[in-house]
């Protein structure tokens, strides 16, 4: 979007050039000087409009970059959440499989399971009593 200062500045600059040229042709120093003054005013207004356009474009570009960054960040967060959900599900499945396997082993070999449990308990007892001394 072009700033209105650019349009009016360009129009004023053109009008000033024309008035200055007419003043030069007619020999009117007043019209020539006034035309040059209007031309300079128009050039300044045009430059001001261009600067405003540049700032507006830079702000728009910065906003676009920020929106792109936010979009990318949301995408990464979604990927991380999906990965965590998958890891949680895989861990849950592994725990259920392990629990079933232990249950089957205990059911198939009850005496061996009791001996192993007793040895584990004895070992823990030794560790606890060794830490107290």
């Amino acid at each position: 979007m072009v700033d209105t200062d650019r349009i009016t500045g360009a129009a004023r600059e053109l009008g000033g050039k024309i008035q200055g040229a007419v003043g030069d042709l007619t020999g009117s120093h007043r019209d020539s000087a006034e035309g040059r003054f209007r031309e300079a005013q128009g050039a300044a207004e045009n430059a001001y409009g261009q600067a405003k356009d540049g700032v507006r474009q830079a702000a728009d570009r910065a906003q676009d970059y920020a929106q792109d960054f936010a979009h990318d960040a949301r995408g990464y967060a979604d990927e991380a959440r999906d990965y965590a959900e998958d890891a949680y599900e895989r861990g849950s499945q592994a725990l259920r499989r392990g629990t079933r396997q232990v249950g089957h082993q205990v059911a198939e070999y009850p005496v061996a399971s009791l001996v192993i449990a007793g040895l584990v308990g004895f070992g823990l007892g030794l560790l606890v009593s060794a830490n107290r001394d």
Side-chain angles (χ1 to χ4, degrees):
M1 180 172 138
V2 177
D3 190 77
T4 56
D5 289 323
R6 288 181 71 179
I7 296 169
T8 58
R12 184 174 287 154
E13 185 176 3
L14 180 61
K17 282 182 183 182
I18 291 171
Q19 184 180 5
V22 168
D24 290 343
L25 287 175
T26 61
S28 172
H29 296 294
R30 180 172 184 241
D31 282 340
S32 180
E34 191 175 304
R36 301 292 181 250
F37 180 71
R38 284 182 58 199
E39 182 181 350
Q41 281 180 322
E45 190 173 1
N46 190 354
Y48 175 68
Q50 287 176 0
K52 284 175 34 179
D53 280 345
V55 169
R56 188 178 299 112
Q57 288 173 354
D60 289 345
R61 199 170 304 125
Q63 183 180 9
D64 290 343
Y65 289 145
Q67 287 173 343
D68 290 346
F69 178 76
H71 180 265
D72 291 347
R74 278 191 295 274
Y76 295 140
D78 289 344
E79 287 178 25
R81 184 194 66 235
D82 292 345
Y83 180 78
E85 287 174 353
D86 289 345
Y88 179 78
E89 184 60 34
R90 285 192 305 270
S92 296
Q93 289 172 357
L95 180 62
R96 285 191 294 273
R97 278 194 310 270
T99 301
R100 269 186 263 140
Q101 288 291 335
V102 169
H104 288 301
Q105 291 297 322
V106 168
E108 194 169 329
Y109 304 103
V111 175
S113 299
L114 284 173
V115 170
I116 290 172
L119 288 173
V120 168
F122 181 74
L124 288 174
L126 286 176
L127 286 173
V128 169
S129 68
N131 285 337
R132 287 187 181 174
D133 292 336

